[in-house]
Amino acid sequence: MTQPYDAMWEKLNLDLGAHAGLLEVLGKFYGDIYLSQEGRLKGMEYMDFVLSEVHGLRIKELQDAKARGKKVIGTFCVFVPEEIVLAADAIQVGLCAGAEAGKESAEKILPRSTCALIKSFVGFKLSRLCPYIESCDLVVGETTCDGKKKAYEIFADYAPVYVMEIPQMKNACDRDLWKSEILRFKDQIEEITGNPITASKLREAIGVVNKRREVLQRLNRLRAVSPVPISGRDVLLINQISFYDDPVRFTENITKLCDEIEGRVKAGDGIAPKQTSRLMLSGCPMAVPNWKLPYIVESSGAVIVGEESCIGTRNTRDLVHDDGENLDQLIELLADRYMKIDCACFTPNTERLNHIVEMAKDLKVDGVIHYGLSFCQPYAMEAFKVEKALNDANIPMLSIETDYSMEDVEQLKTRVEAFVEMVR
Ligand code: BJ8
């Protein structure tokens, strides 16, 4: 990916040497974790291509769109309503980062006891490693966990930041606050793009995002069968790419992939033998290229059949109804849909506990691995209630806390193997 894009990366003020090192490591990881899989679906070639061009062609597309007057909006949380951004003819990209590169720079301005996801996006910016951040006309933060909330104050010294207030409870007054925040966001996006958001533009945008969620729902239904037709690693990658790729093109390609999976399911073929232990992941989001735990799990005699996470079903489970007759009604419907997100930042969060148990039963899993990033208090605290809810349903759970480093891989592998042995 080097030569053709060097000039573009230089223009974006990336640290070319460090960036080349990052791409090299990424390529190696990808080869080991993804390309080495046997019986991979042909449709995954699209993901291989997108990933190989994640800092190349996709960035060029963003730059070309910017040259035509489009704005690029970066986000860190599934609470930011993409429909508003698309309705103003802008492009939204996910900025959450799942790599350690840049950690040292981040730790100069953030406490070491900050979760890896936050350190990663701050470190990427400070180390000039992320062409997505450098392409953004606006970066949208949100008041979810305290770590993110305070990190955006610091991040605002380095990039244009706008922060949405996310309620922490689900009472009527919280719903009112959330609707007013969507309206404030709409004004901000209209101002930065210069494009008014009309009812028809918003309805169209709702349709685009719903279609992407629907195809991911179809993928999740298809993979629920036994034998499992696609690896958990591949589904995680698909979910990660959904935050970067053009939504219409992405939906088309995942539709083709689902057609292929349907054929595999009809033929009774799977990616792993029928008796392979079925596990579900639950917890913190795994941003690209965080593939550590799924790789450990799937090389320990188990297969992942579901992700209860924002880079998983928490982001795709609910659609926005598009039957509002005017702009205000559509905004109401948007507010309703986004208030269903059961992030651990909410209290109480019984909905999430119910969803996890329901999902584990529907997918007929043998066990659940709860995944928390070190120093993430919301998910670490909630893990106790999740374990209790799963225990009450006789579903075993293993709780894992880790970060993006490779230091604990062997230790994690030992724990995961013992868990797989236990649930078998
Ligand atoms: S809706 S999960 S995307 S906030 S891991 S930064 S919570 S300390 S990412 Fe999230 Fe939105 Fe919630 Fe989803 Fe903080 Fe925890 Fe770090 Fe986290």
Side-chain angles (χ1 to χ4, degrees), residues 205-275:
I206 288 172
V208 169
V209 183
N210 272 351
K211 282 206 178 86
R212 187 181 63 204
R213 292 190 185 116
E214 278 170 330
V215 80
L216 290 168
Q217 289 175 359
R218 182 182 170 207
L219 175 65
N220 278 326
R221 281 194 302 274
L222 283 167
R223 72 192 281 219
V225 302
S226 177
V228 182
I230 180 168
S231 70
R233 261 169 285 177
D234 277 338
V235 178
L236 173 66
L237 180 70
I238 292 167
N239 277 300
Q240 289 172 335
I241 285 176
S242 73
F243 287 87
Y244 298 85
D245 200 7
D246 173 79
V248 175
R249 181 176 59 202
F250 174 85
T251 303
E252 279 168 16
N253 278 284
I254 304 304
T255 302
K256 285 187 213 149
L257 179 79
C258 286
D259 293 344
E260 189 189 348
I261 297 177
E262 218 160 65
R264 189 174 263 197
V265 170
K266 276 189 195 138
D269 293 338
I271 191 89
K274 226 175 173 162
Q275 63 276 18

Side-chain angles (χ1 to χ4, degrees), residues 111-138:
R112 289 192 69 210
S113 54
T114 302
C115 97
L117 191 146
I118 298 173
K119 273 190 219 169
S120 187
F121 74 71
V122 172
F124 267 47
K125 174 68 194 170
L126 296 183
S127 308
R128 299 188 288 126
L129 285 170
C130 178
Y132 287 91
I133 294 180
E134 303 307 330
S135 299
C136 284
D137 297 288
L138 186 70

Side-chain angles (χ1 to χ4, degrees), residues 76-80 96 114-118 121 142-149 152 166 243 283-285 309-311 314 341-346 371-380 404:
F76 297 101
C77 177
V78 297
F79 254 102
V80 179
C96 279
T114 302
C115 97
L117 191 146
I118 298 173
F121 74 71
E142 75 310 315
T143 59
T144 44
C145 66
D146 288 349
K148 270 181 165 181
K149 190 162 64 187
Y152 297 134
I166 312 292
F243 287 87
C284 288
S309 145
C310 284
I311 304 193
R314 203 177 303 126
I341 297 171
D342 51 1
C343 173
C345 297
F346 280 93
Y371 166 76
L373 281 170
S374 308
F375 308 116
C376 171
Q377 285 187 345
Y379 281 91
Y404 297 161

